[in-house]
PDB file of all heavy atoms in Angstrom:
ATOM      1  N   LYS A  22     -18.121  -7.464   3.327  1.00 62.00           N
ATOM      2  CA  LYS A  22     -18.909  -7.672   2.147  1.00 62.00           C
ATOM      3  C   LYS A  22     -19.455  -6.368   1.527  1.00 62.00           C
ATOM      4  O   LYS A  22     -20.008  -6.372   0.456  1.00 62.00           O
ATOM      5  CB  LYS A  22     -20.071  -8.641   2.460  1.00 62.00           C
ATOM      6  CG  LYS A  22     -19.562  -9.980   2.893  1.00 62.00           C
ATOM      7  CD  LYS A  22     -20.693 -10.962   2.997  1.00 62.00           C
ATOM      8  CE  LYS A  22     -20.324 -12.285   3.546  1.00 62.00           C
ATOM      9  NZ  LYS A  22     -19.188 -12.927   2.960  1.00 62.00           N
ATOM     10  N   VAL A  24     -17.708  -3.949   0.402  1.00 74.00           N
ATOM     11  CA  VAL A  24     -16.824  -3.529  -0.716  1.00 74.00           C
ATOM     12  C   VAL A  24     -17.072  -4.432  -1.909  1.00 74.00           C
ATOM     13  O   VAL A  24     -16.915  -5.641  -1.841  1.00 74.00           O
ATOM     14  CB  VAL A  24     -15.337  -3.625  -0.296  1.00 74.00           C
ATOM     15  CG1 VAL A  24     -14.441  -3.233  -1.415  1.00 74.00           C
ATOM     16  CG2 VAL A  24     -15.060  -2.763   0.957  1.00 74.00           C
ATOM     17  N   ALA A  25     -17.471  -3.810  -3.016  1.00 77.00           N
ATOM     18  CA  ALA A  25     -17.690  -4.554  -4.251  1.00 77.00           C
ATOM     19  C   ALA A  25     -16.379  -5.099  -4.756  1.00 77.00           C
ATOM     20  O   ALA A  25     -15.331  -4.441  -4.610  1.00 77.00           O
ATOM     21  CB  ALA A  25     -18.346  -3.674  -5.304  1.00 77.00           C
ATOM     22  N   ALA A  26     -16.373  -6.265  -5.390  1.00 78.00           N
ATOM     23  CA  ALA A  26     -15.137  -6.935  -5.827  1.00 78.00           C
ATOM     24  C   ALA A  26     -14.233  -6.039  -6.694  1.00 78.00           C
ATOM     25  O   ALA A  26     -13.037  -6.027  -6.474  1.00 78.00           O
ATOM     26  CB  ALA A  26     -15.496  -8.216  -6.578  1.00 78.00           C
ATOM     27  N   PRO A  27     -14.768  -5.247  -7.633  1.00 84.00           N
ATOM     28  CA  PRO A  27     -13.872  -4.398  -8.398  1.00 84.00           C
ATOM     29  C   PRO A  27     -13.144  -3.364  -7.575  1.00 84.00           C
ATOM     30  O   PRO A  27     -12.011  -2.944  -7.939  1.00 84.00           O
ATOM     31  CB  PRO A  27     -14.763  -3.737  -9.467  1.00 84.00           C
ATOM     32  CG  PRO A  27     -15.965  -4.611  -9.535  1.00 84.00           C
ATOM     33  CD  PRO A  27     -16.144  -5.195  -8.181  1.00 84.00           C
ATOM     34  N   TRP A  28     -13.708  -2.923  -6.460  1.00 86.00           N
ATOM     35  CA  TRP A  28     -13.083  -1.931  -5.589  1.00 86.00           C
ATOM     36  C   TRP A  28     -12.224  -2.549  -4.514  1.00 86.00           C
ATOM     37  O   TRP A  28     -11.539  -1.836  -3.751  1.00 86.00           O
ATOM     38  CB  TRP A  28     -14.172  -1.025  -5.020  1.00 86.00           C
ATOM     39  CG  TRP A  28     -14.791  -0.142  -6.039  1.00 86.00           C
ATOM     40  CD1 TRP A  28     -15.955  -0.389  -6.667  1.00 86.00           C
ATOM     41  CD2 TRP A  28     -14.257   1.051  -6.558  1.00 86.00           C
ATOM     42  NE1 TRP A  28     -16.193   0.620  -7.574  1.00 86.00           N
ATOM     43  CE2 TRP A  28     -15.162   1.538  -7.539  1.00 86.00           C
ATOM     44  CE3 TRP A  28     -13.092   1.799  -6.330  1.00 86.00           C
ATOM     45  CZ2 TRP A  28     -14.942   2.692  -8.232  1.00 86.00           C
ATOM     46  CZ3 TRP A  28     -12.879   2.967  -7.042  1.00 86.00           C
ATOM     47  CH2 TRP A  28     -13.798   3.401  -8.008  1.00 86.00           C
ATOM     48  N   LEU A  29     -12.223  -3.858  -4.415  1.00 87.00           N
ATOM     49  CA  LEU A  29     -11.471  -4.510  -3.321  1.00 87.00           C
ATOM     50  C   LEU A  29      -9.969  -4.247  -3.393  1.00 87.00           C
ATOM     51  O   LEU A  29      -9.356  -3.997  -2.376  1.00 87.00           O
ATOM     52  CB  LEU A  29     -11.783  -6.018  -3.355  1.00 87.00           C
ATOM     53  CG  LEU A  29     -11.320  -6.793  -2.108  1.00 87.00           C
ATOM     54  CD1 LEU A  29     -11.940  -6.224  -0.832  1.00 87.00           C
ATOM     55  CD2 LEU A  29     -11.695  -8.263  -2.248  1.00 87.00           C
ATOM     56  N   PRO A  30      -9.335  -4.269  -4.577  1.00 90.00           N
ATOM     57  CA  PRO A  30      -7.863  -3.931  -4.587  1.00 90.00           C
ATOM     58  C   PRO A  30      -7.575  -2.561  -3.962  1.00 90.00           C
ATOM     59  O   PRO A  30      -6.627  -2.428  -3.216  1.00 90.00           O
ATOM     60  CB  PRO A  30      -7.508  -4.000  -6.040  1.00 90.00           C
ATOM     61  CG  PRO A  30      -8.491  -4.946  -6.631  1.00 90.00           C
ATOM     62  CD  PRO A  30      -9.750  -4.684  -5.916  1.00 90.00           C
ATOM     63  N   LEU A  31      -8.342  -1.563  -4.276  1.00 92.00           N
ATOM     64  CA  LEU A  31      -8.104  -0.240  -3.746  1.00 92.00           C
ATOM     65  C   LEU A  31      -8.321  -0.229  -2.216  1.00 92.00           C
ATOM     66  O   LEU A  31      -7.536   0.338  -1.457  1.00 92.00           O
ATOM     67  CB  LEU A  31      -9.006   0.806  -4.411  1.00 92.00           C
ATOM     68  CG  LEU A  31      -8.808   2.263  -3.932  1.00 92.00           C
ATOM     69  CD1 LEU A  31      -7.369   2.727  -4.122  1.00 92.00           C
ATOM     70  CD2 LEU A  31      -9.759   3.179  -4.678  1.00 92.00           C
ATOM     71  N   LEU A  62     -11.940 -11.978  -0.658  1.00 75.00           N
ATOM     72  CA  LEU A  62     -12.028 -12.080  -2.107  1.00 75.00           C
ATOM     73  C   LEU A  62     -12.788 -13.311  -2.547  1.00 75.00           C
ATOM     74  O   LEU A  62     -13.660 -13.239  -3.440  1.00 75.00           O
ATOM     75  CB  LEU A  62     -10.649 -12.070  -2.727  1.00 75.00           C
ATOM     76  CG  LEU A  62     -10.557 -12.105  -4.216  1.00 75.00           C
ATOM     77  CD1 LEU A  62     -11.086 -10.852  -4.852  1.00 75.00           C
ATOM     78  CD2 LEU A  62      -9.085 -12.292  -4.616  1.00 75.00           C
ATOM     79  N   PRO A  71     -11.968 -14.570  -8.255  1.00 73.00           N
ATOM     80  CA  PRO A  71     -12.387 -13.717  -9.368  1.00 73.00           C
ATOM     81  C   PRO A  71     -11.161 -13.123 -10.099  1.00 73.00           C
ATOM     82  O   PRO A  71      -9.995 -13.281  -9.679  1.00 73.00           O
ATOM     83  CB  PRO A  71     -13.185 -12.623  -8.709  1.00 73.00           C
ATOM     84  CG  PRO A  71     -12.795 -12.633  -7.272  1.00 73.00           C
ATOM     85  CD  PRO A  71     -12.279 -14.021  -6.975  1.00 73.00           C
ATOM     86  N   VAL A  73     -10.050 -10.204 -10.217  1.00 82.00           N
ATOM     87  CA  VAL A  73      -9.298  -9.166  -9.499  1.00 82.00           C
ATOM     88  C   VAL A  73      -8.257  -9.735  -8.538  1.00 82.00           C
ATOM     89  O   VAL A  73      -7.567  -8.977  -7.851  1.00 82.00           O
ATOM     90  CB  VAL A  73     -10.213  -8.172  -8.766  1.00 82.00           C
ATOM     91  CG1 VAL A  73     -11.084  -7.415  -9.711  1.00 82.00           C
ATOM     92  CG2 VAL A  73     -11.015  -8.860  -7.702  1.00 82.00           C
ATOM     93  N   VAL A  77      -5.515  -7.791  -6.063  1.00 90.00           N
ATOM     94  CA  VAL A  77      -5.616  -7.847  -4.600  1.00 90.00           C
ATOM     95  C   VAL A  77      -4.299  -8.292  -3.991  1.00 90.00           C
ATOM     96  O   VAL A  77      -3.813  -7.694  -3.005  1.00 90.00           O
ATOM     97  CB  VAL A  77      -6.752  -8.787  -4.155  1.00 90.00           C
ATOM     98  CG1 VAL A  77      -6.702  -9.084  -2.677  1.00 90.00           C
ATOM     99  CG2 VAL A  77      -8.097  -8.188  -4.523  1.00 90.00           C
ATOM    100  N   ALA A 135     -11.290  -0.555 -11.294  1.00 92.00           N
ATOM    101  CA  ALA A 135     -12.592  -0.691 -10.681  1.00 92.00           C
ATOM    102  C   ALA A 135     -13.689  -0.136 -11.536  1.00 92.00           C
ATOM    103  O   ALA A 135     -14.820  -0.612 -11.572  1.00 92.00           O
ATOM    104  CB  ALA A 135     -12.625  -0.102  -9.299  1.00 92.00           C
TER     105      ALA A 135
END
Side-chain angles (χ1 to χ4, degrees):
K22 298 189 186 309
V24 178
W28 291 98
L29 194 57
L31 182 57
L62 181 66
V73 296
V77 168

